[in-house]
Amino acid sequence: MTMVARDYLHLVGYLLPTVITGYGVVLPEHGICGVNELTVGFGSAVAGAALTYVAGVRSALRRRGCPPPRAGWRRPVWLARQAGRPRGLCGAALARIMVRETAGANAATVAIARVEPHERVVELGCGGGHAVALVAAELTTGTVVGFDVSAGMVRLARRRNRSAIARGVAHVAQGDARRIDLPDASVDCVLATHTVYFWPELDGVGREIVRVLRPGGRLVLGLADPEEMRSQFPESVYTLRAPAAIEMVLADAGLVEGGIETRVVDGHRLHWVMMRKAHAGP
């Protein structure tokens, strides 16, 4: 049983004011600044409390299984907006939680894509860079480029992939799925996981994907089951579509239907829409 965003809310509510009050008010007022026994001790105490909290919650979840209230918890609008574009202190904390929560889904997307070592791969909405790292590990002469609208996520992904970036295997940049900063017909595979909800103009994104894909290039798009999400995520922020509806819009944009795969990952039902760009005619 894995922890989800709700499980971390109390911890974030404790950590942020405690750290800000301690390092920003109490310690400076007593002339205690810089790195010394007291500042390190305070930080260690806070970190120990955080680790104890996480360990306790994880242990409780293992013992009691999946309680009914978790499935029905509805994310507030402010939190949903942060999920779409994390920013500020709250966004930085949420970003790290999201990296853990989406790790299984990202790994499944990369496995389904079956990336070849020579391919050029793009991930739209790369988040903390987990999938970028997995793809980079599979490449020899190929490259992977991750785009995300959040500057904070881009910084996080770059730190995670600094070795692959230094080798020239990976690149991470801030960018919008509606305007992919790459040449026409230059990409073998486009990946996206848990980002389609934030694409209200799906047809426009679809046309942009068609533009950058080479003939025969493929799209692997992962998303949670919209019916499971409907009771938990505000539709004023999340655009929820059935996989078949997504497939139809992308087909109108110029992609060829390739099928839908469904798996259960970390206790959640996920779908992958798989499509290709048609080969040029004779």
Side-chain angles (χ1 to χ4, degrees), residues 107-119:
T109 297
V110 173
I112 290 169
R114 297 182 180 179
V115 174
E116 296 292 334
H118 64 278
E119 290 186 318

Side-chain angles (χ1 to χ4, degrees), residues 12-28:
V12 173
Y14 159 75
L15 285 179
L16 289 181
T18 300
V19 171
I20 291 172
T21 302
Y23 284 112
V25 180
V26 177
L27 292 174

Side-chain angles (χ1 to χ4, degrees), residues 45-126:
V46 172
L51 291 174
T52 301
Y53 172 86
V54 172
V57 172
R58 290 174 67 88
S59 176
L61 290 175
R62 283 195 297 269
R63 290 177 183 175
R64 72 184 181 184
C66 184
R70 286 167 57 94
W73 181 65
R74 188 172 183 82
R75 276 67 170 174
V77 171
W78 68 266
L79 184 61
R81 286 176 178 157
Q82 284 282 2
R85 186 189 290 240
R87 50 193 176 273
L89 288 175
C90 179
L94 182 62
R96 285 159 176 78
I97 296 171
M98 290 167 58
V99 168
R100 291 177 57 86
E101 285 193 340
T102 61
N106 280 311
T109 297
V110 173
I112 290 169
R114 297 182 180 179
V115 174
E116 296 292 334
H118 64 278
E119 290 186 318
R120 189 176 198 189
V121 181
V122 166
E123 185 185 13
L124 301 178
C126 66

Side-chain angles (χ1 to χ4, degrees), residues 120-143:
R120 189 176 198 189
V121 181
V122 166
E123 185 185 13
L124 301 178
C126 66
H130 182 246
V132 170
L134 293 176
V135 172
E138 300 292 326
L139 300 176
T140 53
T141 58
T143 57

